[in-house]
Structures are given as C-alpha cells and as structure tokens.
Amino acid sequence: MGLSLEGSRLLLEGGAALGLDLEPHLPAFARLYELLMEANRRVNLTALRTEREVVVKHFLDSLTLLTLPLWEGPLRVLDLGTGAGFPGLPLKIVRPDLEITLLDATRKKVAFVAEAVAALGLKGAHPLWGRAEALAHGEHREAYARVVARAVAPLCVLAELGLPFLAVGGRMVAQKGPRVEEELAPLPRALALLGGRLEGVHPHSLPLLGEVRNLVVLGKEAPTPTRYPRRPGIPEKHPLC
Ligand code: SAH
C-alpha cells in the first residue's frame, strides 16, 4: 500500500509550492498514510478518505505552518487537539529537531498517534492523553515555546485552552478556514484576560486546491492568571469572548 505514484507526486509538488523539499520524507509520509488508512478501518479517525484528500488536507495543510518564520529551533511545541496527529506528525517528520507533544482528549486518537510515533521511529514526539483544561494546570503550564492547533475550537475558546501552555514570549498558531473575521473581532477581550496579543493573520491558499486558509498568530506577553483555563467544558460553554 503506502502512497501511489500519483500521491507521492502530489506531495512533492505541494511541498515545493510551500518551499519544502519533501523527497527525503516520502517514505515516512507513505508509512503514515498506510497507518492512517489501516487504523481508519478499525476506528473512525478521519473523515478524509481519498489519497488526494489526505495528502492535501492533512499532510500539506499541516505543513503550511512552516511558511511562517517561527520555527528556528530548538523549540518545544504543543499540538493541542492533535486528533490523528495533525498538524503535529507532518511537522515532526519534516522538522525532527522540534520537540513535539501531541495532546488529545480522545484516547483512541492518542493511541493511534502513539502507534504512528513508534512505527515511524520518531524521537522527541510525545503523545499525551487528557483535557487541555486539566493539563494546563500541571507541569505543562507555560512550558512550551509554540502551541499549534487545527480545527479544535473557535479562537475565543482556543485562546483560553492554549495560551496557558505558552511561556512568556511564546507564540500560538491557530490554523483556520476562510472566514476568521467574526472570530477575530471579539478576540482582544479574551486575550487581555489571558496575557495574549494578536500578532498577525496570514492568509494563504492550500497547495493544489487553492482553498483559502488563515494562520492566526497569537503572542504571549504576560503570564496567564492561574484561574485560566477554567474547569473542563467551561471555556467552550461560556467563552471569554
Ligand atoms: N487537529 C486535528 C483534529 C481536529 S478535531 C486535525 O486538524 O485533524 C479536534 C480534536 O481536538 C478532537 O480530537 C478532540 O478530541 C480534541 N479536543 C477538543 N477539545 C479538547 C480539549 N479541551 N483538550 C484536549 N483535546 C481536545
């Protein structure tokens, strides 16, 4: 199995559009694809079924993060709500020097990520099972230089879940779809409570598909008050903005 010739070509072409040479990483992506498809037959990990969708919407979309000038290492990175490992696993494959923690609240998803980390022989990739609201009050608090999150929650919720993990001076990057304006408008209110700041919004189009995406960058300017994040479920139920 693995990736077809067509799938490999797509990945290389899309990578080149992002300024990345993915040739050395083709075997790892092929293996990841294989693991994902195999696991998806047992448990529902991803809605994406076709090879083209997985290559573009999982692999390449994850790698669009690397177009930002934020990755000069060594860095500790948290992938918050990684699901089946996105964007964390593609990031780790291309940038093995990044120390990445892959956090998700769903046990079966973390089990898959752990299986993939082992199968790919990734060192410095740490699957972590739990809720952000709980883990952000322990040893992981203010312990990361970067937090990344894709398709996890609206920005007002995500800011409360993610900023507590960042050390002061750190950055969080939220991968968002085409419409972010409505989410951005109220965001400063939440950021003021959390010690965060909106640093930038970087629109781009997804390689090969041309669909519009936005990378929203938040900076951590001051320690987050210890009352945040609030108890599990509260950030989503009563967002700060
Ligand atoms: N980032 C992946 C998965 C998105 S689905 C991707 O883009 O493909 C959102 C994931 O976030 C789910 O797997 C869910 O379990 C996780 N999640 C949502 N809220 C969370 C929380 N409070 N703590 C930990 N994980 C959370």
Side-chain angles (χ1 to χ4, degrees):
M1 248 197 352
L3 286 172
S4 69
L5 267 179
E6 173 66 9
S8 304
R9 196 188 56 74
L10 269 177
L11 187 59
L12 287 180
E13 196 182 308
L18 296 172
L20 301 168
D21 175 16
L22 298 183
E23 179 91 53
H25 308 296
L26 275 180
F29 281 109
R31 185 83 178 99
L32 179 58
Y33 176 71
E34 192 171 72
L35 290 165
L36 196 59
M37 291 301 108
E38 183 196 272
N40 222 27
R41 281 199 294 270
R42 290 179 271 127
V43 289
N44 186 26
L45 285 174
T46 170
L48 304 185
R49 303 284 154 157
T50 70
E51 185 187 59
R52 184 183 173 84
E53 276 187 312
V54 171
V55 166
V56 179
K57 295 191 176 175
H58 277 334
F59 296 170
L60 293 170
D61 187 42
S62 295
L63 295 173
T64 60
L65 285 172
L66 293 173
T67 61
L68 296 176
L70 290 175
W71 306 106
E72 238 166 85
L75 294 171
R76 286 193 74 188
V77 182
L78 175 70
D79 181 4
L80 170 54
T82 188
F86 302 102
L89 288 176
L91 208 55
K92 180 67 187 172
I93 288 171
V94 175
R95 288 289 308 274
D97 58 311
L98 298 173
E99 187 91 13
I100 300 195
T101 298
L102 304 122
L103 160 65
D104 204 277
T106 305
R107 193 199 270 272
K108 67 174 185 186
K109 293 185 179 175
V110 178
F112 171 76
V113 171
E115 184 189 325
V117 163
L120 296 171
L122 300 174
K123 303 274 176 285
H126 316 284
L128 179 62
W129 176 50
R131 293 210 48 136
E133 294 95 321
L135 289 164
H137 288 287
E139 60 181 300
H140 294 275
R141 191 177 186 86
E142 312 218 318
Y144 295 89
R146 304 284 180 264
V147 172
V148 295
R150 188 184 78 153
V152 174
L155 285 171
C156 287
V157 178
L158 202 54
E160 180 173 357
L161 297 179
L163 284 169
F165 287 105
L166 280 180
V168 171
R171 307 282 199 307
M172 171 160 162
V173 188
Q175 296 191 255
K176 288 281 166 184
R179 282 175 299 279
V180 280
E181 286 77 15
E182 308 99 275
E183 286 186 51
L184 287 171
L187 187 62
R189 249 187 301 147
L191 295 180
L193 296 170
L194 298 164
R197 193 175 75 92
L198 177 62
E199 286 204 341
V201 181
H202 305 270
H204 61 92
S205 59
L206 207 51
L208 311 167
L209 287 185
E211 291 177 17
V212 175
R213 297 280 191 274
N214 283 285
L215 299 174
V216 178
V217 182
L218 308 180
K220 172 111 160 198
E221 290 198 305
T224 302
T226 52
R227 64 179 174 279
Y228 301 115
R230 292 165 293 165
R231 283 177 293 113
I234 303 296
E236 197 185 350
K237 207 166 162 198
H238 303 289
L240 292 176
C241 58

